[in-house]
Amino acid sequence: MPDLTLALDVGTTSLRAVLFDAQWVIVGQDHNVIDSNAPHPGWFEQDPEEIWTKTLAAARKALSDASPTSSN
């Protein structure tokens, strides 16, 4: 596989993985929504395991987009 750069943007409500080639052309990407919970006014909770799992899934999807012949 050629030289690639993976950019991850993890925000409060969603995350995105974007894969660029050496010329900074997007060759793969994915987006996932992050669940949140507000158990009390002013409180905001997120599950770190969910954030990690969805970030990893988005990165894998972006990589598989860049390599359609891959068996991922």
Side-chain angles (χ1 to χ4, degrees):
M1 187 173 278
D3 289 340
L4 300 171
T5 300
L6 177 65
L8 299 171
D9 175 19
V10 181
T12 307
T13 59
S14 67
L15 63 89
R16 180 176 309 277
V18 182
L19 191 67
F20 298 92
D21 68 10
Q23 287 74 44
W24 297 104
V25 174
I26 295 173
V27 294
Q29 60 185 321
D30 194 32
H31 174 265
N32 284 316
V33 174
I34 301 170
D35 295 328
S36 61
N37 183 27
H40 302 286
W43 289 20
F44 187 75
E45 297 177 342
Q46 291 180 302
D47 178 7
E49 185 67 32
E50 176 191 16
I51 294 169
W52 169 245
T53 300
K54 288 185 175 182
T55 300
L56 187 57
R60 286 179 171 158
K61 173 68 168 77
L63 284 165
S64 71
D65 284 355
S67 180
T69 59
S70 173
S71 61
N72 291 342

